[in-house]
Amino acid sequence: MAAAAEKPSLDGPRLAVTPHASPDAKAAKPAAEVRVTAGVEAVPAVRQKWYQWFSPSDTPEERRLIMKLDGTILVFVFLAYWAKVLDSSATSTAYVSGMKEDLHLYGNELNYLNTVYMVGFITLQIPLTVLMTRFSANYFIPGADLIWGVLTLAQYKVSNVHQLYAIRFFVGAAGSLFFPAVQWYLGCWYKRSELSRRGALFFIASQIGSMSSGYIQSGAYASLNGRHGIEGWRWLYIICFACTIPIAILGFAVLPGQPQNCKSRLLTPREIQLAQERMAAEHREPRKPLTWSVLRTVLTGWHFWVLVAFAFFFSQADGVSSNSGLPLWLKAEGYSVEDINTITTVSPAVTIVSSILCGILSDAYDAKVSLIAVTASLNIFASVVLAIWHVPRGLKFFAFFLSGSADGIAAVIYAWANEICAGSAEERAIVISSMNTIGNTFGAWLPLFVWKTVDAPRYLIGYNWTIALDVCMLAMLFVLRSFWNREKKRSAAA
């Protein structure tokens, strides 16, 4: 089922940018994808090797452009995602750091707080992402971050849980567009042979954020509790605000808009023109008017339904690593709190390594199908081991750690969606945001039935559910590849 990793596929006709191809581009030996346009000589689009940051066919000015994009876009989205994870975990940390007693949260208030946050997040993600495409992303994305930061700060002043409910809804709404908007935005500037590794670097910020948030928040609480008459849990929100606002301001200062309407202080007119030519060569279309006809075309096409269905299985298949099975098992085995905190950092470390590895291999060899198939198979093996449960201790550790690789293909999947929907900026926004929304929608309630706390640490239902999800994801991978290959053949024939 998986395509050969060592041989990139032909991705259909593309516009050539012959004036800027390097003199030795035709002589380059790495596997190439042919770009074709009527009346223009076809030139090979050479993919970089796994250890190369640039393609051998990239000209010096194209490399300078890429470095500028990496130094502005990638730096901002990485820092912003890290701050988002820090902010998102603040409420749970605040709850166990004095907020519960101060606001008298002795019932299910914490669950309700998470619920209202997800309601705002889910209901507004697609509308805000699509709305973002109507404006300049270099103002819309950091603007939403700025609002997120202000609302985060507002939480430190609450005096009752009802105020917190209202603010948490709007915090969820303000942060809802960030992930799909960034994936869409990366697709506006980077070629398909560059997207996966950039997406991976963006994605690992969440893992680094989850690993560092506990240390930052515990240190802030210990050193600031009671300072200036402010409780420690309130200081957590102030610290999050202080981290978020400078990053949002950085976004306003350095982010370029979309290539077709770019007004950047850091990119020259020639670099903007070159960026437009790069996207034209990828058949990456600029935005157009959003009409009912466009919406109908998107919602009736296979891109939407197949990619969103595929995203459902992928989004739920990381349950082993996201539902606390490992720390609960370690606690049941008598490990100390220090050991549990140390050992559980291995899983996000595995996610980071697998994300980078998948991103590099996907860009170098166009091995999306192979990488997704291998990752799903590894997750099936880990889940089978944990479903059996009565296995050697070392094998159980290995299975828990291996399950951290499940999210390693996130950047690959969203890069593929950018590639498949390259012909319409509006379709890319709708499809990518819908893929993310469907995962969060089911992730908000499905664990209540599948990953029941009473089943911990042996989540027998959960581990078997993960096996079924990965099997279905492999089946959907076959469907997705079949549809995509058929579309590429039709484009080549046309």
Side-chain angles (χ1 to χ4, degrees), residues 247-259:
I247 295 172
I249 294 173
L250 174 68
F252 284 118
V254 303
L255 285 184
Q258 293 91 286

Side-chain angles (χ1 to χ4, degrees), residues 308-439:
V308 170
F310 184 83
F312 163 75
F313 295 114
F314 161 72
S315 66
Q316 307 304 311
D318 67 344
V320 176
S321 59
S322 63
N323 282 282
S324 304
L326 176 59
L328 291 175
W329 173 62
L330 293 174
K331 183 177 181 180
E333 291 292 307
Y335 284 81
S336 67
V337 173
E338 292 78 9
D339 287 339
I340 293 173
N341 289 334
T342 301
I343 293 171
T344 51
T345 60
V346 176
S347 290
V350 170
T351 302
I352 291 172
V353 172
S354 61
S355 296
I356 295 174
L357 185 62
C358 287
I360 290 173
L361 295 177
S362 175
D363 281 349
Y365 303 108
D366 195 18
K368 298 179 182 68
V369 174
S370 299
L371 291 168
I372 295 171
V374 169
T375 300
S377 300
L378 292 176
N379 206 28
I380 289 173
F381 172 78
S383 300
V384 168
V385 170
L386 294 173
I388 296 173
W389 193 253
H390 299 293
V391 297
R393 181 185 296 259
L395 181 59
K396 191 175 294 185
F397 269 116
F398 178 74
F400 273 121
F401 295 154
L402 184 63
S403 67
S405 65
D407 281 331
I409 53 174
V412 175
I413 292 171
Y414 282 96
W416 202 1
N418 264 308
E419 178 180 346
I420 291 172
C421 301
S424 169
E426 292 70 34
E427 182 184 47
R428 283 198 297 119
I430 294 171
V431 170
I432 289 174
S433 59
S434 298
M435 289 169 65
N436 193 246
T437 299
I438 193 71

Side-chain angles (χ1 to χ4, degrees), residues 33 50 84 103 119 121 156 252 273 289 317 320 345 397 422 454 467:
E33 300 166 85
W50 67 268
K84 279 256 184 308
L103 300 185
V119 169
F121 191 95
Y156 106 94
F252 284 118
Q273 180 188 2
V320 176
T345 60
F397 269 116
V454 293
I467 295 170

Side-chain angles (χ1 to χ4, degrees), residues 192-210:
R192 68 193 70 191
S193 60
E194 301 163 347
L195 263 176
S196 292
R197 69 180 69 192
R198 270 79 181 181
L201 291 174
F202 163 63
F203 179 75
I204 65 174
S206 64
Q207 306 301 312
I208 295 174
S210 66

Side-chain angles (χ1 to χ4, degrees), residues 227-288:
R227 184 76 61 90
H228 304 297
I230 300 175
E231 295 93 337
W233 68 268
R234 297 183 188 271
W235 273 109
L236 295 178
Y237 290 115
I238 298 174
I239 294 298
C240 290
F241 167 81
C243 292
T244 301
I245 296 303
I247 295 172
I249 294 173
L250 174 68
F252 284 118
V254 303
L255 285 184
Q258 293 91 286
Q260 72 274 11
N261 63 344
C262 182
K263 296 179 181 178
S264 173
R265 292 180 290 272
L266 301 177
L267 299 180
T268 67
R270 171 61 198 140
E271 288 170 335
I272 295 172
Q273 180 188 2
L274 178 59
Q276 293 170 347
E277 292 170 350
R278 279 162 45 88
M279 293 301 97
E282 295 286 296
H283 276 190
R284 202 77 51 78
E285 292 292 329
R287 64 186 184 182
K288 298 185 179 80

